[in-house]
Amino acid sequence: MPAAYPSAENYGLNENGQMVGGMFNSADENRAFIFDTDNGVVDLNDRIGAGTGWQLLTAIDINDMGQITGIGELNGEKRAFLLTPNADADADGDIDGSDIAALAQEIGTTSCSGGCSSDFNDDDAVTTVDAFLQAMVLGHTS
Ligand SMILES: [Ca+2]
Ligand SMILES: [Ca+2]
Ligand SMILES: [Ca+2]
């Protein structure tokens, strides 16, 4: 665990070995985290963009698509959250035809090890799960 949040409780685990939960310290400050053996412990607040108004306190569960539910605060008010993996393959801030083309080139790859731009759920393979994640947010801009 990071030094600032030495204690943790794990609440959710998926097929890909990704674990989520809440980490906290003696000052009773809480942060939602995700853990896997490739990336270690990552504060989910570092995964969402700055300036959202959200503080993610505890992650409750993660499904095999990489979607994470939990509890946080939006502008200081306690709320539930749902995070869906970012399907912006070319990282230009929108989900459009060029992202579909990038996924089409990689689909079927089963040994990404972090090297596939379209492995949105980070299971080291580009599959129909990643295509579905992309289809859900097609047309979105950030
Ligand atoms: Ca894009
Ligand atoms: Ca684009
Ligand atoms: Ca994948």
Side-chain angles (χ1 to χ4, degrees):
M1 302 307 302
Y5 302 98
S7 306
E9 288 182 9
N10 304 316
Y11 295 115
L13 176 69
N14 71 11
E15 286 279 305
N16 307 325
Q18 295 170 315
M19 191 182 288
V20 296
M23 53 186 180
F24 51 96
N25 59 26
S26 55
D28 213 19
E29 296 168 324
N30 292 265
R31 292 289 183 279
F33 73 89
I34 181 169
F35 169 86
D36 66 39
T37 53
D38 288 344
N39 303 302
V41 173
V42 175
D43 186 335
L44 285 174
N45 293 280
D46 297 337
R47 288 281 188 90
I48 61 174
T52 62
W54 277 97
Q55 185 157 69
L56 308 178
L57 300 176
T58 301
I60 303 294
D61 210 353
I62 181 167
N63 67 16
D64 294 339
M65 295 203 322
Q67 293 181 298
I68 299 169
T69 55
I71 304 292
E73 284 180 350
L74 177 58
N75 300 319
E77 276 188 43
K78 203 153 265 192
R79 305 278 282 273
F81 67 77
L82 169 64
L83 299 179
T84 292
N86 185 356
D88 186 8
D90 60 6
D92 70 345
D94 58 28
I95 315 296
D96 62 12
S98 59
D99 300 296
I100 295 175
L103 184 135
Q105 283 199 335
E106 290 183 342
I107 198 151
T109 308
T110 53
S111 56
C112 293
S113 303
C116 297
S117 60
S118 297
D119 179 19
F120 308 125
N121 69 337
D122 204 20
D123 64 352
D124 292 342
V126 180
T127 67
T128 52
V129 169
D130 300 295
F132 184 71
L133 284 167
Q134 187 178 68
M136 280 199 299
V137 292
L138 192 60
H140 283 209
T141 55
S142 60

